[in-house]
Amino acid sequence: MTKIITSAYIMIGDEILSGRTEDENLNFLAKNLVNVGINLKEVRVIPDDEVEIIKPIQDLKDKYNYIFTTGGIGPTHDDITAESVAKALNDKVILNQEAKQILIDHYGQNNVNEARLKMAALPSKAILLNNSITSAPGFMVENIIVMAGVPKIMRSMFNSSLEFLDFGDKILSKELKLNITESFIAKDLAKLQHEFPDVTIGSYPFAGGTSIVFRSFFEETLNKCYDIMSKKRYE
């Protein structure tokens, strides 16, 4: 039986929506989730607003196996993700003593001020995610994985989260490039999709041709579908 694990990604940050910050995290997350057999099914981009954070978490947490978030866990006033996640899960925020000690060990006792302690204020049920870059940890609570928005820090936290995640079967893929435009192959692709419902078929135009990507959990079916299309000849 195929084991399917699904996920959603909530990207939090006014700077993303305003265009001030160019996103790098979605591409990294999508590629790395595929590699471990977790299917990314939905992405939402939302502002640093408590209501806007709570709503999608409550909407999605029972729909998918995991929800990944980035952004809003720093030391400033607009970093409200930890508190918002806690409220979404009917949890409370506490000063996590392990996270506090990590900050003290990294910055020194005299340099851990109120703002930095804010990064140790986490939901009471949080499991810490290591941050090898700046030490301030991300966290996982229930099926929500909460990470920083800075790409290199996010990647460290994501790698740390893998030990807590359940992996499914990986989606296999094959690509076929044809030197022909999409309109000439549209009917054949529609027919093929009908014949092979277990294969997802996507077509992507490029200069002078079309790239067709076949994806499936089932290798034999994937190969059969690919072979049929690859043997077609177009004038």
Side-chain angles (χ1 to χ4, degrees):
M1 181 179 293
T2 304
K3 183 179 181 181
I4 300 175
I5 303 294
T6 59
S7 66
Y9 173 32
I10 303 173
M11 196 184 311
I12 302 166
D14 295 334
E15 71 280 4
I16 296 291
L17 290 167
S18 69
R20 291 179 59 85
T21 297
E22 186 173 345
D23 172 64
E24 297 178 25
N25 292 330
L26 173 56
N27 185 259
F28 171 86
L29 189 63
K31 286 182 177 178
N32 282 272
L33 289 177
V34 166
N35 289 340
V36 297
I38 297 176
N39 300 297
L40 182 61
K41 305 293 288 184
E42 185 172 343
V43 178
R44 299 191 188 185
V45 186
I46 60 174
D48 295 296
D49 178 88
E50 183 178 280
V51 173
E52 296 292 339
I53 296 171
I54 291 173
K55 187 178 187 305
I57 289 175
Q58 292 181 333
D59 288 346
L60 301 175
K61 73 182 188 70
D62 294 326
K63 183 178 180 180
Y64 301 111
N65 296 100
Y66 299 112
I67 300 174
F68 295 86
T69 79
T70 57
I73 59 172
T76 58
H77 72 283
D78 58 343
D79 290 311
I80 59 172
T81 298
E83 184 175 356
S84 300
V85 169
K87 288 183 178 181
L89 301 177
N90 293 316
D91 195 1
K92 60 182 179 180
V93 171
I94 64 167
L95 181 60
N96 186 291
Q97 294 302 314
E98 183 183 356
K100 176 182 176 181
Q101 191 59 52
I102 289 172
L103 295 174
I104 291 172
D105 291 343
H106 182 78
Y107 293 107
Q109 178 74 57
N110 295 332
N111 294 318
V112 177
N113 55 24
E114 184 178 349
R116 282 180 171 157
L117 276 180
K118 185 174 185 290
M119 296 186 289
L122 307 176
S124 68
K125 300 175 184 177
I127 299 170
L128 301 188
L129 303 179
N130 181 57
N131 168 9
S132 61
I133 308 301
T134 64
S135 81
F139 64 92
M140 179 173 179
V141 56
E142 296 187 16
N143 64 335
I144 319 296
I145 297 92
V146 180
M147 303 175 290
V150 178
K152 63 181 179 180
I153 301 176
M154 175 268 191
R155 293 171 188 179
S156 177
M157 293 176 177
F158 173 80
N159 290 332
S160 175
S161 76
L162 294 178
E163 67 175 292
F164 304 110
L165 306 182
D166 190 19
F167 304 144
D169 294 335
K170 295 182 182 180
I171 294 181
L172 307 173
S173 67
K174 298 187 77 169
E175 181 181 17
L176 176 65
K177 289 188 176 182
L178 299 176
N179 294 319
I180 192 168
T181 59
E182 284 183 302
S183 60
F184 288 96
I185 60 175
K187 285 187 178 180
D188 286 335
L189 290 181
K191 181 181 178 183
L192 204 59
Q193 184 67 88
H194 180 73
E195 292 176 2
F196 294 91
D198 291 331
V199 180
T200 300
I201 305 172
S203 65
Y204 309 95
F206 62 87
T210 304
S211 171
I212 307 170
V213 179
F214 305 85
R215 298 184 177 91
S216 179
F217 289 105
F218 309 103
E219 185 173 12
E220 183 178 350
T221 308
L222 177 70
N223 290 337
K224 187 180 295 186
C225 184
Y226 175 91
D227 289 343
I228 290 173
M229 195 64 197
S230 66
K231 290 175 182 177
K232 290 185 178 294
R233 295 293 178 263
Y234 297 94
E235 298 296 334

